[in-house]
Structures are given as C-alpha cells and as structure tokens.
Amino acid sequence: MIGLFVLSGVSDVFAAGGKSVEPLVTEPDTYRTDNYRAPVPATLKGAQVVDVGAAEDLWNAKAAVFIDVYPQPPKPPNLPEGTIWRTPSHESIAGAHWLANVGYGVLSPEYEGYFRAGLERLTEGDRSRPVVFFCLRDCWMSWNAARRALSWGYRNVIWFPDGTDGWKELGLPAAQIKPVS
C-alpha cells in the first residue's frame, strides 16, 4: 500500500511500512523566496534538466556556458576596525563562471542588473546559446536563476540540479573560482 502525504507543497510517497521512497516536489508558479536548501522539483518548465552525465558531456564538448549561482557570504557589518576580512573561497566546476547572489527569489535592482549584464557578456548577446545553471544539490537558487533567464528570453536554458555536489562526487574537474565582476 502506498500513501501520499502533502506538506507545504512537498509530497512524500511512503511505501508499506512507512519508509520514504522519493520526495515529490511540485514546481511552483513563482520564484522560491525562502528555505533555499530544500528538495527541488525534477522539472523547470521551458528548460532542459540534466544529470551529471549530461552535464559532463556538455562540459567536455564545451557546448555551453556553465554558471554557478552559489551565494557569496557578505562581509559581516560589525567587524571591529582593523579586522581583515577574507572572502571565503569557493570550489566549483572547472571553467564555470560564478555569478554570486543571483539565485534569490527577489533580486535587488543592483543584483538584477549584475545578473542581466553577466548573462549578456557570457553569452555574447546570443540568447540561444546554451547556458547551464547550477549551485549545490537541493538548492533552489539555481532553479530561480534558470527560471529568471527564461523570463528574460534566453531560449537554451539548462538546469543542473545536482550541481557541484554531484560533479565532485564523480571526481570531475573542479577549481577555485571568484565571482564575475
């Protein structure tokens, strides 16, 4: 017997004995604005969704621009005078471009402009150029960023939900990267 339980837009399917089989997350009608590290849907309307193998094929063929949307931790506002702040390092897919902080559900005008300009530059103005968006596994920021690119008219949006977690688990090439300025 299989039972279906719906909690906060997330469905869990339980097999007999109460063992969780696979969470089913419904694709929302709008951007996710909270709890960004949570199970994500398997789909993104208008985008191609790829697994690690397909992402690796695109990477090997240099067939797409890889965009990491992992957030960059901000400098703490109340550091004592003279404290040296070192931005934490970030390891990503080798050759990826880090557009930090563009995956939030609501973007400030500054970050929206940064995101639009970054996409324009990285795709050389070609809205049909394949663009792979990723973050970490179970991170809504890549889903939000890919959805936003679709809304801006990008026609070859690819979402890689396993992100750097899935990439590194297979021992694929990774490198320290810095945010695109």
Side-chain angles (χ1 to χ4, degrees):
M1 175 179 207
I2 294 180
L4 180 65
F5 299 91
V6 178
L7 301 169
S8 305
V10 177
S11 302
D12 288 323
V13 177
F14 291 91
K19 200 170 189 183
S20 181
V21 176
E22 177 74 29
L24 301 174
V25 179
T26 305
E27 189 174 329
D29 294 329
T30 189
Y31 301 104
R32 178 74 171 246
T33 59
D34 63 358
N35 195 21
Y36 294 106
R37 290 303 309 273
V40 295
T43 60
L44 173 53
K45 187 178 179 183
Q48 178 184 357
V49 179
V50 296
D51 62 10
V52 178
E56 181 184 15
D57 290 345
L58 288 165
W59 185 84
N60 283 329
K62 296 181 181 8
V65 177
F66 279 70
I67 299 179
D68 188 336
V69 300
Y70 185 79
Q72 181 179 30
K75 179 179 179 180
N78 298 322
L79 285 178
E81 189 174 328
T83 301
I84 297 172
W85 167 254
R86 290 188 179 90
T87 303
S89 62
H90 177 57
E91 188 173 58
S92 185
I93 295 171
H97 305 275
W98 185 14
L99 291 178
N101 304 322
V102 301
Y104 290 103
V106 176
L107 294 180
S108 69
E110 174 189 17
Y111 275 108
E112 183 175 332
Y114 167 71
F115 190 14
R116 283 182 184 268
L119 274 179
E120 179 76 17
R121 188 171 58 254
L122 293 170
T123 62
E124 298 174 337
D126 180 359
R127 291 186 182 216
S128 65
R129 188 164 183 191
V131 182
V132 176
F133 290 94
F134 66 96
C135 185
L136 303 174
R137 180 177 291 128
D138 288 332
C139 180
W140 281 86
M141 292 196 168
S142 59
W143 189 91
N144 282 343
R147 183 165 197 235
R148 190 164 274 118
L150 287 164
S151 77
W152 292 338
Y154 287 85
R155 297 181 297 280
N156 205 344
V157 172
I158 303 163
W159 179 44
F160 176 36
D162 281 331
T164 53
D165 293 330
W167 190 264
K168 289 180 191 178
E169 284 170 3
L170 291 184
L172 297 171
Q176 295 293 320
I177 63 173
K178 295 189 181 300
V180 172
S181 49

